[in-house]
Amino acid sequence: MTDTRHALIIANERYDDRALKQLKAPGHDADALAEVLGDPQIGDFDVDVVSNQPSYVLRRRIEHFFSDRRRDDTLVVHFSCHGIKSESGELYFAASDTEPLLLEATAVPAQFVRRCMSRSRAGRTVLFLDCCYGGAFSRSSSGVRSTGDVNVLDSFATEKPAGGRGWAVITASSSMEYAVEGGDLTEDTAPRPSVFTGAVVQGLDTGEADLDADGEISLDDLYDYVYDRVRGQNPHQTPGKTVEMQGELHLAHSRRRRRVEIAPEPIPASWRTALHSKNHFTRLGAVAELRYRLQSETLPVAEGARQALLDVAHNDMRQVADTASAHLREIRLQPSTGRLDFGRLLQDAPVPHKTVTLGGLPLARAFVAQPTEPWLRLTETDDGLDVTVDPAAEGRLSADILLKGVADETVIHVEAELAAAPDDAEASGQGHARVTAAPAPAQAPAHSAVAPGERRVPSTAHAPHEAPAHPAAETRVIPSPDAPPSPPAGPDAAHARAADETRLAPSPDAPPQTRPRPADDTAHTRPPGSTDRHNAETQVAPAGIPPRPPEAPRRPERARAPAPSRRAVVVGGGALVAALAGVGTFVAAALSGVRAVRDFDDAGTGDSRSLGSFVEGTGAVPLLVASVLTAVVALVLSSVARHDLRARPERYTQGSTALTKALTSLARWLAVPALVLAVLAFIAWLATRSLT
């Protein structure tokens, strides 16, 4: 955008006069709109924000904003505040010190704003009014009328703009409607942008307002998008628009249409000549050279080769065009996954990060990413994306990440569910013991179930034939350390035991659960810090002994990275060996052919044998066949190695990838000429069989 762009955002949510209801959306409106308008990749505006200021400050800032402008300037003014109608039907914008009975002295008249707009030399001005016309006053206010028609647009339509200049006014609602903030008008709503400004920010930030998909968001695009979004969320709110402007105003760039932009480096002149040769074999050779140039780490070089291949794919004969198209398919985006699922997460808790890596050629790894929802957080890394979600979001979330490369697009679907964290009361309630007074059955299982937050104390009762070492010992459930203490013993001790203990009778056939108590009671006490390895929450200890602290939960083991593979390197090495064999056998066949020609010349005309017979006698034909076969094997092995690199990029290190590419490239450079020359020599031998 070549023009100079300035934006003034006025937000008032706090008011000294009690007749004016305190708002919650304007502050968030100002922050969200300032961020998107000031983004160099979206609005590229020089943004000035004025929040909760008295009327005299607002009038001074407004007049200063419109003064000293040039014809190529584009100005945007956004009001987020109460809109008040006077008894005579005039519109005023409320400031922090506004008194409804003294509007002329304590508010900002709409006519004042219109006069500043008309006197400015700026080429184009856009005014956004997100004002609560009908809901601006508390019900207890008796000095202000909150009903009746507020002709907002009429306040700005009485004067035409000067020649060559224009303006537009877009309002959040019509004259008889509320401008809803945060989805409703109640006092206890959570602070968030209003429906109108939220739609403006969403359309600009995501590029969804680019309805004609031309890469730019015009004023008409934005209004149509905001109108549909606002009406979809609140059918009783209708945005309005009036325009006195020549031509189309582009307010912002569209992220939706952003692609990777790489300035191509032109291919050498000799290659361009080869691409226009009448011999299609020459053009095929040039396409093969472009394929290697397409692999360059220098992106402008690779982009120049891509554009040349595109021209061949669209204009050349089928055989050559298909070869070029096959090479172009190698630069498609290749993300490591097409779906990310974060599972269930707690709000305001640390959110895990997930990564997406891109494989393929360097040009295929050049991309831009755009989330379809603002709760998705993306960070570009050297080899892909780091993805996380906004922990302040709520509910079940679903969105897409649009990846756009130089040649194609792809989508990665993301899902998450953010639940509210449990409050302190619920968390503390889980620490109390939950018990039942029902006795355990005679054949009780060896591991009795214990509710969360409890610990089981094993009984020291013995089998019938053994004397109990601790007659008073019994199995009971005691509260965990964070639970409140049990009531003291006394007349209600039986009731306390019924609430705090569960007596568990061991099975007669079960082995003794404890060994006889040693003489020294301290032998039952484990060293400090000892833990039960079998259950970090349920601990077993004899009665009367202090419970051990619960064991810290084990940290889950990190998923192991796949073991590095060298399969592609080995296959690439085999391809190079086969290519060398193909070249060697062809050279041997060529030397045998030269010797056959010499023998044929020495024989003279008296010998009736054909030249082909002399060639057969030297053994050149089997060598040619071997050369063709080994060259084909080399090309096949090269393709297999390259395919394995593309299919499993995570299994190869950067060094293995580079080595494989070098081996396969050298194998192809050797195998292709050997194959072509061997086939041509074989055809020549067939032609010389009749030559005497």
Side-chain angles (χ1 to χ4, degrees):
M1 298 181 181
T2 58
D3 55 348
T4 305
R5 305 160 70 82
H6 305 274
L8 176 64
I9 300 175
I10 298 174
N12 277 298
E13 56 189 1
R14 297 195 299 269
Y15 300 92
D16 299 337
D17 196 297
R18 294 184 178 180
L20 299 176
K21 186 181 72 173
Q22 305 298 312
L23 299 176
K24 298 181 179 181
H28 298 272
D29 291 348
D31 294 340
L33 189 60
E35 182 177 358
V36 72
L37 287 180
D39 191 329
Q41 297 183 351
I42 303 177
D44 197 21
F45 279 87
D46 180 16
V47 183
D48 187 15
V49 179
V50 183
S51 300
N52 299 314
Q53 295 296 323
S55 57
Y56 68 89
V57 173
L58 296 185
R59 287 194 293 268
R60 183 183 183 90
R61 297 291 289 272
I62 291 171
E63 185 171 4
H64 181 269
F65 178 77
F66 282 104
S67 63
D68 194 22
R69 295 300 183 191
R70 298 177 299 175
R71 186 172 294 275
D72 59 349
D73 286 345
T74 297
L75 307 181
V76 168
V77 181
H78 182 276
F79 280 91
S80 183
C81 60
H82 283 310
I84 306 177
K85 186 192 72 170
S86 67
E87 292 290 340
S88 59
E90 296 176 334
L91 175 65
Y92 292 84
F93 302 114
S96 62
D97 64 336
T98 295
E99 299 179 24
L101 298 180
L102 301 174
L103 293 178
E104 190 69 30
T106 61
V108 179
Q111 290 299 317
F112 170 78
V113 179
R114 185 190 63 80
R115 287 194 298 271
C116 292
M117 291 170 56
S118 63
R119 294 170 183 170
S120 176
R121 292 195 297 271
R124 289 174 290 192
T125 301
V126 180
L127 181 63
F128 292 97
L129 302 180
D130 191 357
C131 302
C132 304
Y133 305 116
F137 318 106
S138 65
R139 297 180 180 225
S140 61
S141 175
S142 59
V144 181
R145 293 173 56 192
S146 60
T147 60
D149 195 4
V150 183
N151 296 316
V152 183
L153 296 178
D154 290 347
S155 301
F156 296 90
T158 57
E159 183 175 327
K160 298 286 185 180
R165 294 185 290 124
W167 52 263
V169 180
I170 297 179
T171 63
S173 62
S174 63
S175 57
M176 297 296 291
E177 297 169 335
Y178 294 103
V180 179
E181 62 162 349
D184 49 51
L185 290 169
T186 59
E187 291 286 349
D188 57 352
T189 53
R192 51 182 173 174
S194 71
V195 174
F196 174 77
T197 302
V200 172
V201 173
Q202 177 79 3
L204 295 176
D205 187 41
T206 63
E208 294 176 0
D210 183 16
L211 302 182
D212 55 5
D214 63 350
E216 302 290 341
I217 300 176
S218 67
L219 183 65
D220 292 336
D221 285 342
L222 182 61
Y223 173 74
D224 292 341
Y225 172 82
V226 170
Y227 182 93
D228 292 338
R229 294 275 296 190
V230 171
R231 294 285 294 176
Q233 296 186 50
N234 178 28
H236 303 293
Q237 181 176 340
T238 306
K241 179 182 73 169
T242 183
V243 178
E244 290 290 345
M245 186 178 298
Q246 296 179 354
E248 188 175 38
L249 172 60
H250 290 158
L251 281 177
H253 293 299
S254 171
R255 281 183 171 177
R256 171 177 288 184
R257 298 292 296 176
R258 271 205 307 154
R259 286 184 178 274
V260 179
E261 296 182 359
I262 302 173
E265 180 178 316
I267 63 174
S270 59
W271 291 20
R272 289 197 300 270
T273 303
L275 288 175
H276 293 87
S277 173
K278 295 182 179 180
N279 189 327
H280 76 280
F281 286 109
T282 303
R283 299 199 301 275
L284 278 174
V287 168
E289 294 294 333
L290 288 175
R291 164 65 179 81
Y292 297 117
R293 196 175 178 89
L294 195 65
Q295 296 177 325
S296 175
E297 296 283 348
T298 306
L299 296 186
V301 173
E303 175 63 11
R306 185 186 75 87
Q307 294 192 7
L309 287 172
L310 278 175
D311 183 65
V312 174
H314 292 156
N315 301 316
D316 212 320
M317 61 181 294
R318 182 172 181 178
Q319 180 183 2
V320 182
D322 288 348
T323 304
S325 298
H327 296 332
L328 290 171
R329 285 193 291 269
E330 297 182 27
I331 56 173
R332 292 180 299 178
L333 289 170
Q334 302 176 33
S336 57
T337 182
R339 185 176 185 273
L340 296 176
D341 189 354
F342 285 85
R344 183 179 176 85
L345 307 170
L346 293 180
Q347 282 184 311
D348 299 325
V351 178
H353 291 246
K354 292 184 177 294
T355 58
V356 178
T357 58
L358 291 178
L361 302 179
L363 192 61
R365 299 194 297 270
F367 71 97
V368 293
Q370 174 63 37
T372 59
E373 293 294 339
W375 53 264
L376 266 179
R377 306 291 176 80
L378 308 180
T379 303
E380 294 188 11
T381 61
D382 292 339
D383 57 352
L385 279 177
D386 178 85
V387 184
T388 186
V389 301
D390 184 1
E394 58 183 12
R396 186 175 294 276
L397 307 175
S398 178
D400 292 324
I401 302 174
L402 305 180
L403 295 182
K404 301 184 180 182
V406 296
D408 66 334
E409 302 177 1
T410 189
V411 174
I412 299 174
H413 185 66
V414 183
E415 290 187 356
E417 181 180 1
L418 273 80
D423 54 26
D424 295 340
E426 294 179 355
S428 61
Q430 293 178 356
H432 293 270
R434 296 180 300 179
V435 298
T436 58
Q443 299 295 334
H447 300 283
S448 300
V450 182
E454 302 171 347
R455 293 190 303 277
R456 185 177 62 191
V457 180
S459 172
T460 55
H462 295 268
H465 61 278
E466 293 181 292
H470 219 301
E474 56 190 9
T475 300
R476 61 181 180 177
V477 177
I478 66 173
S480 57
D482 58 348
S486 306
D492 296 330
H495 297 287
R497 284 195 302 272
D500 293 339
E501 301 177 357
T502 299
R503 302 179 184 276
L504 304 177
S507 171
D509 300 331
Q513 299 180 3
T514 58
R515 58 173 177 261
R517 182 176 180 180
D520 186 6
D521 290 344
T522 60
H524 286 272
T525 304
R526 295 192 179 191
S530 62
T531 58
D532 187 352
R533 293 186 179 180
H534 300 287
N535 194 329
E537 296 179 357
T538 302
Q539 300 182 358
V540 179
I545 297 176
R548 298 184 304 275
E551 182 181 0
R554 294 183 178 181
R555 180 177 298 175
E557 295 184 0
R558 181 176 298 177
R560 294 182 178 179
S565 174
R566 298 187 61 84
R567 175 183 172 183
V569 178
V570 174
V571 176
L576 180 58
V577 172
L580 291 172
V583 172
T585 53
F586 173 75
V587 171
L591 294 176
S592 299
V594 171
R595 188 167 62 254
V597 172
R598 187 182 302 112
D599 293 342
F600 178 74
D601 290 338
D602 293 341
T605 56
D607 196 331
S608 61
R609 289 180 298 172
S610 63
L611 177 58
S613 300
F614 280 90
V615 173
E616 291 179 7
T618 60
V621 176
L623 291 175
L624 289 177
V625 174
S627 178
V628 171
L629 293 178
T630 52
V632 170
V633 169
L635 294 176
V636 171
L637 292 178
S638 298
S639 300
V640 171
R642 288 300 184 105
H643 175 75
D644 201 50
L645 283 181
R646 293 192 297 268
R648 302 187 303 170
E650 71 282 356
R651 301 296 296 270
Y652 294 98
T653 63
Q654 186 174 3
S656 298
T657 301
L659 179 58
T660 302
K661 291 182 178 180
L663 291 174
T664 53
S665 297
L666 183 57
R668 290 182 177 181
W669 272 95
L670 296 172
V672 170
L675 177 62
V676 173
L677 293 175
V679 170
L680 293 177
F682 191 81
I683 295 174
W685 167 72
L686 293 177
T688 59
R689 296 180 64 183
S690 60
L691 183 62
T692 60

PDB file of all heavy atoms in Angstrom, residues 120-134:
ATOM      1  N   SER A 120     -10.604  18.530   6.575  1.00  0.00           N
ATOM      2  CA  SER A 120      -9.321  17.852   6.396  1.00  0.00           C
ATOM      3  C   SER A 120      -8.986  17.708   4.916  1.00  0.00           C
ATOM      4  O   SER A 120      -9.863  17.512   4.066  1.00  0.00           O
ATOM      5  CB  SER A 120      -9.374  16.466   7.051  1.00  0.00           C
ATOM      6  OG  SER A 120      -8.183  15.755   6.812  1.00  0.00           O
ATOM      7  N   ARG A 121      -7.687  17.810   4.599  1.00  0.00           N
ATOM      8  CA  ARG A 121      -7.236  17.630   3.227  1.00  0.00           C
ATOM      9  C   ARG A 121      -6.965  16.155   2.900  1.00  0.00           C
ATOM     10  O   ARG A 121      -6.528  15.841   1.792  1.00  0.00           O
ATOM     11  CB  ARG A 121      -5.964  18.441   2.980  1.00  0.00           C
ATOM     12  CG  ARG A 121      -6.161  19.941   3.001  1.00  0.00           C
ATOM     13  CD  ARG A 121      -4.963  20.650   2.408  1.00  0.00           C
ATOM     14  NE  ARG A 121      -3.761  20.423   3.191  1.00  0.00           N
ATOM     15  CZ  ARG A 121      -3.378  21.184   4.215  1.00  0.00           C
ATOM     16  NH1 ARG A 121      -4.117  22.225   4.571  1.00  0.00           N
ATOM     17  NH2 ARG A 121      -2.269  20.920   4.873  1.00  0.00           N
ATOM     18  N   ALA A 122      -7.195  15.263   3.869  1.00  0.00           N
ATOM     19  CA  ALA A 122      -6.953  13.837   3.636  1.00  0.00           C
ATOM     20  C   ALA A 122      -7.833  13.331   2.504  1.00  0.00           C
ATOM     21  O   ALA A 122      -8.986  13.753   2.347  1.00  0.00           O
ATOM     22  CB  ALA A 122      -7.233  13.030   4.910  1.00  0.00           C
ATOM     23  N   GLY A 123      -7.272  12.437   1.716  1.00  0.00           N
ATOM     24  CA  GLY A 123      -8.010  11.950   0.557  1.00  0.00           C
ATOM     25  C   GLY A 123      -9.245  11.148   0.926  1.00  0.00           C
ATOM     26  O   GLY A 123     -10.321  11.362   0.372  1.00  0.00           O
ATOM     27  N   ARG A 124      -9.115  10.221   1.890  1.00  0.00           N
ATOM     28  CA  ARG A 124     -10.255   9.374   2.237  1.00  0.00           C
ATOM     29  C   ARG A 124     -10.280   9.136   3.741  1.00  0.00           C
ATOM     30  O   ARG A 124      -9.237   8.941   4.371  1.00  0.00           O
ATOM     31  CB  ARG A 124     -10.169   8.049   1.486  1.00  0.00           C
ATOM     32  CG  ARG A 124     -10.441   8.190  -0.003  1.00  0.00           C
ATOM     33  CD  ARG A 124     -10.220   6.905  -0.761  1.00  0.00           C
ATOM     34  NE  ARG A 124      -8.817   6.558  -0.843  1.00  0.00           N
ATOM     35  CZ  ARG A 124      -8.340   5.606  -1.648  1.00  0.00           C
ATOM     36  NH1 ARG A 124      -9.174   4.923  -2.402  1.00  0.00           N
ATOM     37  NH2 ARG A 124      -7.045   5.339  -1.677  1.00  0.00           N
ATOM     38  N   THR A 125     -11.503   9.155   4.291  1.00  0.00           N
ATOM     39  CA  THR A 125     -11.709   8.974   5.722  1.00  0.00           C
ATOM     40  C   THR A 125     -12.812   7.955   5.944  1.00  0.00           C
ATOM     41  O   THR A 125     -13.860   8.007   5.289  1.00  0.00           O
ATOM     42  CB  THR A 125     -12.079  10.302   6.406  1.00  0.00           C
ATOM     43  OG1 THR A 125     -11.048  11.262   6.192  1.00  0.00           O
ATOM     44  CG2 THR A 125     -12.289  10.097   7.897  1.00  0.00           C
ATOM     45  N   VAL A 126     -12.571   7.036   6.877  1.00  0.00           N
ATOM     46  CA  VAL A 126     -13.567   6.037   7.255  1.00  0.00           C
ATOM     47  C   VAL A 126     -13.822   6.173   8.743  1.00  0.00           C
ATOM     48  O   VAL A 126     -12.881   6.185   9.554  1.00  0.00           O
ATOM     49  CB  VAL A 126     -13.095   4.604   6.924  1.00  0.00           C
ATOM     50  CG1 VAL A 126     -14.164   3.586   7.324  1.00  0.00           C
ATOM     51  CG2 VAL A 126     -12.780   4.479   5.449  1.00  0.00           C
ATOM     52  N   LEU A 127     -15.103   6.262   9.116  1.00  0.00           N
ATOM     53  CA  LEU A 127     -15.511   6.433  10.504  1.00  0.00           C
ATOM     54  C   LEU A 127     -16.317   5.209  10.939  1.00  0.00           C
ATOM     55  O   LEU A 127     -17.337   4.878  10.329  1.00  0.00           O
ATOM     56  CB  LEU A 127     -16.347   7.704  10.658  1.00  0.00           C
ATOM     57  CG  LEU A 127     -16.835   8.061  12.062  1.00  0.00           C
ATOM     58  CD1 LEU A 127     -15.660   8.323  12.991  1.00  0.00           C
ATOM     59  CD2 LEU A 127     -17.751   9.284  12.004  1.00  0.00           C
ATOM     60  N   PHE A 128     -15.837   4.517  11.976  1.00  0.00           N
ATOM     61  CA  PHE A 128     -16.551   3.380  12.561  1.00  0.00           C
ATOM     62  C   PHE A 128     -17.170   3.836  13.884  1.00  0.00           C
ATOM     63  O   PHE A 128     -16.458   4.356  14.757  1.00  0.00           O
ATOM     64  CB  PHE A 128     -15.604   2.205  12.818  1.00  0.00           C
ATOM     65  CG  PHE A 128     -15.075   1.559  11.574  1.00  0.00           C
ATOM     66  CD1 PHE A 128     -13.824   1.909  11.078  1.00  0.00           C
ATOM     67  CD2 PHE A 128     -15.807   0.600  10.895  1.00  0.00           C
ATOM     68  CE1 PHE A 128     -13.320   1.318   9.939  1.00  0.00           C
ATOM     69  CE2 PHE A 128     -15.308   0.005   9.759  1.00  0.00           C
ATOM     70  CZ  PHE A 128     -14.065   0.358   9.267  1.00  0.00           C
ATOM     71  N   LEU A 129     -18.466   3.594  14.049  1.00  0.00           N
ATOM     72  CA  LEU A 129     -19.177   3.981  15.267  1.00  0.00           C
ATOM     73  C   LEU A 129     -19.745   2.739  15.923  1.00  0.00           C
ATOM     74  O   LEU A 129     -20.751   2.180  15.461  1.00  0.00           O
ATOM     75  CB  LEU A 129     -20.295   4.979  14.944  1.00  0.00           C
ATOM     76  CG  LEU A 129     -19.860   6.277  14.245  1.00  0.00           C
ATOM     77  CD1 LEU A 129     -21.067   7.156  13.980  1.00  0.00           C
ATOM     78  CD2 LEU A 129     -18.820   7.014  15.071  1.00  0.00           C
ATOM     79  N   ASP A 130     -19.085   2.293  16.997  1.00  0.00           N
ATOM     80  CA  ASP A 130     -19.583   1.153  17.777  1.00  0.00           C
ATOM     81  C   ASP A 130     -20.121   1.716  19.083  1.00  0.00           C
ATOM     82  O   ASP A 130     -19.453   1.697  20.120  1.00  0.00           O
ATOM     83  CB  ASP A 130     -18.455   0.156  18.032  1.00  0.00           C
ATOM     84  CG  ASP A 130     -18.980  -1.154  18.599  1.00  0.00           C
ATOM     85  OD1 ASP A 130     -20.195  -1.254  18.832  1.00  0.00           O
ATOM     86  OD2 ASP A 130     -18.171  -2.077  18.806  1.00  0.00           O
ATOM     87  N   CYS A 131     -21.348   2.250  19.032  1.00  0.00           N
ATOM     88  CA  CYS A 131     -21.927   2.976  20.159  1.00  0.00           C
ATOM     89  C   CYS A 131     -23.259   2.364  20.568  1.00  0.00           C
ATOM     90  O   CYS A 131     -24.044   1.927  19.722  1.00  0.00           O
ATOM     91  CB  CYS A 131     -22.130   4.450  19.815  1.00  0.00           C
ATOM     92  SG  CYS A 131     -20.610   5.295  19.338  1.00  0.00           S
ATOM     93  N   CYS A 132     -23.505   2.344  21.894  1.00  0.00           N
ATOM     94  CA  CYS A 132     -24.744   1.779  22.432  1.00  0.00           C
ATOM     95  C   CYS A 132     -25.783   2.886  22.502  1.00  0.00           C
ATOM     96  O   CYS A 132     -25.895   3.589  23.505  1.00  0.00           O
ATOM     97  CB  CYS A 132     -24.500   1.183  23.817  1.00  0.00           C
ATOM     98  SG  CYS A 132     -23.194  -0.051  23.847  1.00  0.00           S
ATOM     99  N   TYR A 133     -26.524   3.068  21.450  1.00  0.00           N
ATOM    100  CA  TYR A 133     -27.479   4.183  21.408  1.00  0.00           C
ATOM    101  C   TYR A 133     -28.638   3.971  22.369  1.00  0.00           C
ATOM    102  O   TYR A 133     -28.940   4.802  23.209  1.00  0.00           O
ATOM    103  CB  TYR A 133     -28.000   4.355  19.987  1.00  0.00           C
ATOM    104  CG  TYR A 133     -26.903   4.530  18.982  1.00  0.00           C
ATOM    105  CD1 TYR A 133     -26.702   3.590  17.986  1.00  0.00           C
ATOM    106  CD2 TYR A 133     -26.038   5.604  19.065  1.00  0.00           C
ATOM    107  CE1 TYR A 133     -25.661   3.731  17.076  1.00  0.00           C
ATOM    108  CE2 TYR A 133     -25.006   5.751  18.167  1.00  0.00           C
ATOM    109  CZ  TYR A 133     -24.824   4.818  17.178  1.00  0.00           C
ATOM    110  OH  TYR A 133     -23.801   4.945  16.295  1.00  0.00           O
ATOM    111  N   GLY A 134     -29.310   2.824  22.261  1.00  0.00           N
ATOM    112  CA  GLY A 134     -30.472   2.604  23.112  1.00  0.00           C
ATOM    113  C   GLY A 134     -30.093   2.188  24.505  1.00  0.00           C
ATOM    114  O   GLY A 134     -30.850   2.413  25.442  1.00  0.00           O
TER     115      GLY A 134
END
